[in-house]
C-alpha cells in the first residue's frame, strides 16, 4: 500500500543505484576501448601520411613562435583532450538516459497502483520537462475520470430514486382504480349513485396518474440539455396579462384575486415562451392549491440592470423553513400538502427550476412577513436592454 505522505522526488532504490553504477562502469570501459582503437588508427594514419605529419609540425611550430613559449605541443595531446571531452558527454548522456528510464518506471508503477482501484491516489512527483507535463496530464485525467465515475453513480442513484418514487406514486392511484373497477365488475354496488361514485373516484385517480406521467415526461424533457430552446423576442407584460385572464375564473372560485405589474411597459425580452408559461403555470397553480387562507396572488416583473426579475407571491399559508431548502428537489412535497385534495406530483417546481436554469437564470423561494415568494432572475441580452 502506498504511503499517505509521498515524496515529491523520485527516490531510487538500491538496485536502481547499482544499475546506474554498472551503467557508468560499462560505459567507461567501452569508451576506453573505443578511444584506444581510435588513437591507434589515428597514429597509423599520421605516420603513413608524411604531408599530414608535416602540416601538424608546421602548426605546432607557428603556435610556438607566436607565444614564444617553451610549450611542447604534439598532435597527440589535443586529440586525447578532445576524446576525453567527448567521453564525458557520452557518459553523461548514457547515465541521464538510464535515469529517465528509471523515472518512467516509477511513474508506470504509480499508474498501476491507481488502476488497481486506488482512485484517490495521485502521482506526487514534481518533475520538470516532458515528464512533469506527463504527470500533470495523468493526474488531470484521473481527476476527470473519478468525477465521471461519481457523476455516473449519482445518475444511477437518481434513476433508482426516480423509479422508486414513480412506482409509489403510480401504485397508489392504480390500486384505487383497480379496487373500484373491481367492485363495479363484480356488481358490488346497491344504487346508481353508488356506481357513479365508484366511477368518479376511478376517473379522478386516472387523471392523477396522467398528471404524474405528464409531469414526469416534461421533467425528463427539460433536463435534456441537447434539446434546443425556441428563443424568441416577446413582451413579458402581454404574457402575464394573458396568464391573469386564463386564471381569472379559477381564482374567483377559490376566493382569491390575481394581479400583475410590469416595469417598464412594454417589457420586451427573449426566451422560450412555451416553457416560461409552464413555469408561471406551476407557480400560480401552487399558490391556488397550497396558499390556504390567502386572498391574493401578485406577480411583479421589472428590469434590474442586465436582468429581468419576476416575483410570484401569495399571502397564504407560509412554507416551513426546513422545507425551503428542499422545495425544488424532485418529488419533494411539503408535509402539509400531502392530502388527496392538494397533493401534486412533486415535480412542478423541479421542472420550473430546470427551465429557468436552461435560460441561464435562477429561481429561489422565500416565506416571510406573510408572503411566500418565488423570485425568478433571467438575464437580458443587449437587444433586450435597448427596448
Amino acid at each position: 500500500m502506498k504511503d499517505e505522505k509521498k515524496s515529491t522526488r523520485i527516490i531510487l532504490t538500491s538496485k536502481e543505484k547499482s544499475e546506474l553504477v554498472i551503467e557508468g562502469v560499462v560505459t567507461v570501459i567501452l569508451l576506453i576501448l573505443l578511444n584506444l582503437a581510435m588513437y591507434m588508427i589515428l597514429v597509423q594514419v599520421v605516420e603513413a601520411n608524411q604531408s599530414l605529419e608535416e602540416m601538424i609540425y608546421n602548426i605546432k611550430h607557428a603556435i610556438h613562435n607566436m607565444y614564444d613559449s617553451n610549450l611542447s605541443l604534439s598532435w597527440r595531446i589535443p586529440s586525447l583532450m578532445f576524446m576525453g571531452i567527448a567521453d564525458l558527454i557520452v557518459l553523461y548522456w548514457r547515465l541521464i538516459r538510464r535515469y529517465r528510464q528509471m523515472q518512467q518506471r516509477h511513474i508506470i508503477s504509480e499508474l498501476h497502483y491507481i488502476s488497481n482501484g486506488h482512485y484517490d491516489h495521485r502521482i506526487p512527483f514534481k518533475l520538470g520537462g516532458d515528464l512533469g507535463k506527463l504527470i500533470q496530464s495523468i493526474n488531470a485525467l484521473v481527476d476527470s475520470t473519478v468525477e465521471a465515475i461519481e457523476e455516473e453513480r449519482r445518475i444511477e442513484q437518481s434513476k433508482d430514486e426516480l423509479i422508486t418514487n414513480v412506482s409509489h406514486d403510480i401504485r397508489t392511484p392504480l390500486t384505487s382504480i383497480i379496487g373500484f373497477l373491481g367492485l363495479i365488475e363484480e356488481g358490488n354496488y346497491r344504487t346508481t349513485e353508488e356506481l357513479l361514485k365508484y366511477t368518479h373516484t376511478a376517473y379522478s385517480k386516472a387523471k392523477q396518474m396522467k398528471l404524474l406521467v405528464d409531469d414526469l415526461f416534461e421533467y425528463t424533457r427539460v433536463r435534456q440539455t441537447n434539446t434546443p430552446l425556441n428563443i424568441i423576442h416577446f413582451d413579458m407584460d402581454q404574457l402575464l396579462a394573458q396568464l391573469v385572464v386564463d386564471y381569472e375564473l379559477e381564482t374567483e372560485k377559490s376566493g382569491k384575486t390575481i394581479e400583475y405589474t410590469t416595469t417598464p411597459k412594454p417589457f420586451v425580452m427573449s426566451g422560450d415562451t412555451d416553457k416560461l408559461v409552464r413555469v408561471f403555470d406551476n407557480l400560480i397553480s401552487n399558490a391556488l392549491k397550497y396558499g390556504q387562507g390567502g386572498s391574493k396572488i401578485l406577480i411583479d416583473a421589472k428590469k434590474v440592470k442586465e436582468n429581468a426579475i419576476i416575483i410570484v407571491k401569495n399571502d397564504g399559508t407560509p412554507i416551513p423553513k426546513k422545507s425551503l431548502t428542499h422545495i425544488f428537489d424532485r418529488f419533494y412535497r411539503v408535509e402539509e400538502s400531502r392530502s388527496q385534495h392538494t397533493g401534486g406530483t412533486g415535480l412542478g417546481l423541479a421542472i420550473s427550476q430546470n427551465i429557468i436554469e436552461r435560460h441561464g437564470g435562477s429561481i429561489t423561494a422565500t416565506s416571510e412577513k406573510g408572503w411566500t415568494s418565488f423570485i425568478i432572475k433571467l438575464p437580458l441580452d443587449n437587444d433586450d436592454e435597448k427596448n
Side-chain angles (χ1 to χ4, degrees):
M1 187 174 180
K2 298 281 183 182
D3 295 331
E4 291 185 2
K5 292 184 179 179
K6 188 77 175 179
S7 173
T8 58
R9 294 174 56 251
I10 294 181
I11 301 175
L12 300 182
T13 63
S14 56
K15 181 180 178 181
E16 289 172 333
K17 291 177 181 177
S18 299
E19 287 182 15
L20 274 179
V21 172
I22 293 173
E23 179 77 14
V25 172
V26 171
T27 302
V28 169
I29 292 173
L30 292 175
L31 287 173
I32 290 173
L33 294 176
L34 179 62
N35 291 340
L36 287 174
M38 291 179 62
Y39 179 76
M40 295 302 297
I41 293 172
L42 188 58
V43 169
Q44 294 295 325
V45 170
V46 172
E47 291 180 352
N49 194 330
Q50 189 65 29
S51 60
L52 181 60
E53 188 173 9
E54 290 177 356
M55 181 184 69
I56 293 173
Y57 175 79
N58 292 333
I59 293 173
K60 180 194 75 170
H61 184 69
I63 294 174
H64 176 74
N65 292 335
M66 183 183 299
Y67 292 98
D68 192 19
S69 170
N70 294 322
L71 182 63
S72 177
L73 295 176
S74 171
W75 63 269
R76 293 178 177 84
I77 295 176
S79 299
L80 291 174
M81 290 178 61
F82 175 78
M83 286 189 289
I85 294 172
D87 290 345
L88 289 176
I89 293 173
V90 172
L91 178 62
Y92 175 80
W93 174 77
R94 294 269 296 181
L95 292 178
I96 285 296
R97 190 184 67 167
R98 176 64 63 150
Y99 181 64
R100 294 296 185 196
Q101 291 174 349
M102 293 176 180
Q103 287 180 323
Q104 291 174 12
R105 287 209 300 263
H106 281 266
I107 294 173
I108 292 172
S109 175
E110 295 286 328
L111 271 176
H112 283 306
Y113 181 75
I114 294 173
S115 66
N116 287 332
H118 302 92
Y119 299 120
D120 57 340
H121 182 73
R122 298 294 178 272
I123 299 177
F125 307 135
K126 303 296 182 183
L127 303 177
D130 292 338
L131 284 180
K133 294 178 181 178
L134 176 63
I135 291 173
Q136 292 177 1
S137 299
I138 291 173
N139 286 337
L141 178 61
V142 174
D143 287 337
S144 61
T145 302
V146 170
E147 186 178 347
I149 292 173
E150 291 299 322
E151 180 64 21
E152 186 67 24
R153 288 175 181 171
R154 287 193 293 268
I155 291 173
E156 288 300 322
Q157 184 179 1
S158 179
K159 288 180 180 178
D160 293 341
E161 292 175 355
L162 178 63
I163 293 172
T164 301
N165 288 321
V166 170
S167 299
H168 176 269
D169 284 358
I170 288 180
R171 182 174 58 187
T172 301
L174 186 60
T175 301
S176 297
I177 292 171
I178 293 174
F180 284 109
L181 291 180
L183 292 174
I184 296 172
E185 178 74 16
E186 296 169 2
N188 291 331
Y189 57 89
R190 293 183 295 273
T191 63
T192 303
E193 289 76 12
E194 196 171 41
L195 172 62
L196 291 175
K197 178 183 176 182
Y198 291 167
T199 55
H200 175 72
T201 303
Y203 175 70
S204 298
K205 295 297 181 181
K207 286 176 61 179
Q208 185 178 339
M209 284 181 59
K210 183 179 183 301
L211 178 62
L212 173 62
V213 172
D214 290 344
D215 280 353
L216 183 62
F217 174 76
E218 181 67 19
Y219 175 77
T220 304
R221 191 160 64 93
V222 298
R223 282 182 61 87
Q224 294 175 351
T225 55
N226 57 345
T227 303
L229 296 173
N230 183 24
I231 301 296
I232 62 171
H233 288 286
F234 68 96
D235 185 356
M236 177 62 73
D237 182 69
Q238 292 181 4
L239 185 145
L240 294 179
Q242 184 60 49
L243 278 170
V244 169
V245 172
D246 292 342
Y247 278 93
E248 186 175 1
L249 181 61
E250 193 171 348
T251 53
E252 287 179 0
K253 287 182 179 180
S254 62
K256 296 180 173 65
T257 60
I258 181 169
E259 301 174 3
Y260 80 98
T261 57
T262 56
T263 307
K265 293 184 179 182
F267 191 159
V268 179
M269 58 180 295
S270 301
D272 188 324
T273 53
D274 290 338
K275 287 183 169 52
L276 291 177
V277 166
R278 178 62 188 266
V279 172
F280 293 121
D281 279 339
N282 287 335
L283 298 180
I284 296 172
S285 297
N286 283 351
L288 290 171
K289 287 192 292 185
Y290 308 138
Q292 300 174 3
S295 60
K296 294 180 180 179
I297 300 173
L298 303 179
I299 307 174
D300 178 47
K302 56 186 176 182
K303 289 184 180 181
V304 179
K305 295 181 179 179
E306 296 99 11
N307 299 294
I309 307 296
I310 304 102
I311 301 175
V312 181
K313 62 182 181 179
N314 69 88
D315 59 350
T317 304
I319 299 173
K321 289 184 178 180
K322 64 179 182 180
S323 299
L324 284 174
T325 56
H326 302 287
I327 200 169
F328 294 103
D329 294 348
R330 186 186 58 198
F331 289 110
Y332 182 82
R333 284 172 285 197
V334 179
E335 189 65 31
E336 288 80 2
S337 304
R338 290 184 180 272
S339 67
Q340 290 183 351
H341 178 66
T342 60
T345 64
L347 288 172
L349 291 179
I351 292 171
S352 299
Q353 185 182 51
N354 274 283
I355 291 173
I356 296 301
E357 288 179 349
R358 287 202 60 195
H359 280 78
S362 62
I363 180 171
T364 55
T366 62
S367 192
E368 56 188 6
K369 298 179 180 179
W371 291 94
T372 296
S373 304
F374 290 87
I375 302 99
I376 299 171
K377 182 179 180 181
L378 291 171
L380 299 172
D381 58 32
N382 293 331
D383 291 336
D384 297 337
E385 294 179 45
K386 293 175 183 178
N387 292 301

